[in-house]
Amino acid sequence: MTDIAAGLEQVRERIRNARIRAGRVDRVELVAVTKNHPVTALAEAVSLGVEHVGENRVQEAAQKRALYTGKEPLWHLIGHLQRNKAAQAVRLFDLIQSVDSERILRAIQMQAEKTDKVQDILLQFNIAEEPQKYGLKLGDYENVLAALAEMSHVRLRGLMCMAPFTEDPETVRPVFRVAYHLYDDLRKRFPEGQIRYLSMGMSNDFEVAIEEGANLVRVGTAIFGERVY
Ligand SMILES: *Cc1c(COP(=O)(O)O)cnc(C)c1O
């Protein structure tokens, strides 16, 4: 068995166990984060049944999509998007998870309208308000929803959040809990079925995230090993 196959099997086992602990009966989907790993790693993951891949840079994703010839996964953008890359992002990604400002939301709407695509997005919240991280603040919530209501070519599918990095994932449980409350509120405010994703949890904290309601986890290192920069 290759390292990637073994890593993937372990991650799936950990997801299964966290779901059981939490008594979850709904689906928890895995986004394999392939940033800084070669397209061969991505291809191997897809051949092992991975359906979602996450990239944090538009340029890197474009290169990989051009090289990759296998069965198409769903492509997720999980890193900060600049306005001058919005057109490319709308072309490349099935789900833009990292919508972190009203400005980028408007840029995505404009580009999606031009190409007549309805772009699925998540709103990224910086719940702990860490200064070094991108993301909307809780105080932006109502304004962003009001802006979204005017947009014809952007479809909100849920929320993404990143917890502060810590050695002990238990300490971030309250952050995930706040995110779940927002997600629950969104589900009540939008038509049935539209709000589907609560994206939270990475290699070091995805089990706690699942226990707190995440249904999309973004895992890189635990599948592919350490990234080399
Ligand atoms: C890199 C990254 C991940 C994956 O992190 P790992 O610790 O390698 O699992 C998840 N989410 C975002 C937004 C990332 O940038």
Side-chain angles (χ1 to χ4, degrees):
M1 195 189 281
T2 65
D3 290 348
I4 291 174
L8 191 58
E9 192 167 280
Q10 271 175 23
V11 167
R12 285 174 168 153
E13 176 73 21
R14 287 169 60 188
I15 290 174
R16 215 167 16 247
N17 289 337
R19 288 181 70 235
I20 291 167
R21 271 201 305 283
R24 297 273 304 268
V25 292
D26 56 336
R27 283 178 66 116
V28 174
E29 295 186 74
L30 172 65
V31 178
V33 177
T34 46
K35 68 184 187 201
N36 263 81
H37 292 289
V39 71
T40 49
L42 184 155
E44 183 176 355
V46 175
S47 76
L48 294 164
V50 161
E51 294 173 351
H52 305 268
V53 301
E55 286 283 339
N56 70 331
R57 288 174 51 237
V58 172
Q59 206 48 48
E60 188 177 334
Q63 285 165 2
K64 284 181 194 164
R65 279 205 76 160
L67 287 170
Y68 178 71
T69 54
K71 177 169 178 268
E72 278 296 329
L74 293 168
W75 294 77
H76 296 239
L77 179 64
I78 61 170
H80 176 66
L81 176 60
Q82 289 168 322
R83 279 192 302 168
N84 62 5
K85 301 264 173 64
Q88 218 183 346
V90 166
R91 271 199 305 280
L92 286 168
F93 293 101
D94 299 289
L95 182 64
I96 300 178
Q97 295 201 12
S98 44
V99 174
D100 55 16
S101 70
E102 221 176 288
R103 282 174 82 208
I104 197 65
L105 188 58
R106 290 186 194 288
I108 292 168
Q109 155 69 20
M110 198 171 88
Q111 296 302 333
E113 190 170 12
K114 271 190 199 164
T115 51
D116 209 21
K117 176 184 184 185
V118 176
Q119 178 67 54
D120 278 354
I121 63 140
L122 304 184
L123 294 175
Q124 178 180 350
F125 277 87
N126 179 4
I127 287 169
E129 300 200 2
E130 293 175 273
Q132 75 279 19
K133 281 202 180 123
Y134 288 105
L136 296 156
K137 294 184 176 154
L138 292 176
D140 301 326
Y141 184 64
E142 295 297 339
N143 284 342
V144 176
L145 291 190
L148 261 168
E150 308 293 317
M151 293 184 188
S152 53
H153 289 69
V154 173
R155 182 166 62 150
L156 180 64
R157 306 306 312 272
L159 299 176
M160 188 258 246
C161 95
M162 233 188 284
F165 181 81
T166 99
E167 291 294 326
D168 175 10
E170 277 303 322
T171 60
V172 298
R173 196 179 283 279
V175 172
F176 292 146
R177 214 161 265 185
V178 171
Y180 183 81
H181 280 295
L182 274 192
Y183 173 68
D184 201 37
D185 183 63
L186 278 186
R187 276 197 306 192
K188 291 178 188 136
R189 292 164 68 147
F190 283 82
E192 175 94 39
Q194 181 177 336
I195 304 298
R196 263 200 63 188
Y197 295 121
L198 178 57
S199 172
M200 56 188 192
M202 314 186 0
S203 290
N204 65 317
D205 59 13
F206 70 81
E207 285 136 313
V208 175
I210 290 169
E211 288 167 18
E212 295 304 328
N215 56 21
L216 200 56
V217 293
R218 310 178 308 267
V219 181
T221 309
I223 300 171
F224 300 106
E226 294 292 335
R227 288 177 288 273
V228 182
Y229 289 94

